[in-house]
Amino acid sequence: AQSVAQPEDQVNVAEGNPLTVKCTYSVSGNPYLFWYVQYPNRGLQFLLKYITGDNLVKGSYGFEAEFNKSQTSFHLKKPSALVSDSALYFCAVRDQTGANNLFFGTGTRLTVIP
Amino acid sequence: GAGVSQTPSNKVTEKGKYVELRCDPISGHTALYWYRQSLGQGPEFLIYFQGTGAADDSGLPNDRFFAVRPEGSVSTLKIQRTERGDSAVYLCASSLNEQKNSPLHFGNGTRLTVT
């Protein structure tokens, strides 16, 4: 079975400060991990993914995420937040040897305060 | 380029009615997925197509829900005898192939309201 936990429903950060959105996962085998962003009344937009190799993954809009196998985490980060980063963020996981569907967390709402 | 297109963007229907939701994937994408997103929740998997066939329909909640993809491109999600609990945003996504490292590309969704 696979699962994703996003422990924070809401994250507030001041513009210009670094941001972190947390994600932990559980899979039977090895994971493929993804981050998506959702703006109001829009579908989910792909940000970045971890497949294998370097634990630090860089993606769109200056976001990056760090895979930590021992802590089963894949936290999303950005060095300097923008007001336009305010949105709903979803972490998702696929088991490399399991079912094909992508399993999502419940989302974290990020608010960047001017 | 064109992304995943879903129509209609909004659908209001009465309890007991039948509805069809359409998804037009990115050209050349062989894998197509349907998800359902309720308020305050993450997307929940419904069904996955590889080509014309449903490779995994384990997420369909009951036999009122059915989906087709007859020519391996456009897909239609069909809901019979709608219930108020079916109200949600229905998201369609496509990916280049069935490989698990391929990201899903989502449409903007169809907001279904059952009154």
Side-chain angles (χ1 to χ4, degrees):
Chain A
Q2 50 195 354
S3 65
V4 174
Q6 294 184 243
E8 302 155 316
D9 291 335
Q10 173 82 41
V11 169
N12 296 327
V13 63
E15 186 177 24
N17 282 3
L19 69 87
T20 298
V21 182
K22 296 179 180 177
C23 171
T24 58
Y25 67 90
S26 174
V27 293
S28 301
N30 292 314
Y32 291 132
L33 292 155
F34 302 81
W35 275 101
Y36 284 82
V37 60
Q38 187 174 35
Y39 297 99
N41 300 315
R42 301 294 299 274
L44 282 75
Q45 295 180 29
F46 169 68
L47 276 180
L48 51 79
K49 65 180 181 181
Y50 170 80
I51 303 302
T52 188
D54 194 348
N55 289 343
L56 185 63
V57 178
K58 295 188 183 295
S60 306
Y61 312 118
F63 284 92
E64 57 190 29
E66 186 165 13
F67 172 64
N68 187 317
K69 186 172 184 177
S70 63
Q71 296 184 5
T72 62
S73 67
F74 189 55
H75 301 330
L76 181 70
K77 301 183 180 188
K78 187 173 182 180
S80 179
L82 301 173
V83 173
S84 58
D85 293 330
S86 299
L88 196 53
Y89 289 81
F90 290 96
C91 181
V93 66
R94 258 176 178 154
D95 190 327
Q96 291 186 19
T97 57
N100 202 300
N101 55 297
L102 195 56
F103 192 88
F104 286 85
T106 53
T108 298
R109 183 166 299 282
L110 173 68
T111 300
V112 181
I113 302 163
Chain B
V4 176
S5 175
Q6 291 188 247
T7 54
S9 55
N10 281 283
K11 177 71 176 177
V12 180
T13 191
E14 293 180 348
K15 178 177 178 296
K17 299 290 188 182
Y18 168 83
V19 296
E20 290 189 352
L21 312 180
R22 176 188 166 104
C23 173
D24 201 338
I26 293 172
S27 178
H29 281 198
T30 61
L32 184 145
Y33 301 77
W34 284 98
Y35 280 78
R36 179 168 71 174
Q37 186 176 22
S38 300
L39 194 62
Q41 300 295 317
E44 295 177 296
F45 170 75
L46 295 176
I47 186 170
Y48 151 60
F49 287 88
Q50 180 57 36
T52 60
D56 183 352
D57 64 357
S58 62
L60 295 177
N62 52 59
D63 61 5
R64 295 187 297 105
F65 289 74
F66 189 71
V68 296
R69 195 186 185 199
E71 297 179 357
S73 179
V74 171
S75 177
T76 304
L77 179 66
K78 307 180 181 193
I79 310 175
Q80 298 178 322
R81 305 183 303 280
T82 51
E83 300 177 357
R84 292 193 180 89
D86 299 335
S87 297
V89 177
Y90 289 81
L91 296 169
C92 177
S94 67
S95 65
L96 184 61
N97 52 48
E98 75 280 11
Q99 292 186 22
K100 293 178 182 176
N101 59 11
S102 290
L104 274 59
H105 300 273
F106 284 84
N108 288 338
T110 294
R111 182 176 300 277
L112 176 66
T113 303
V114 182
T115 62

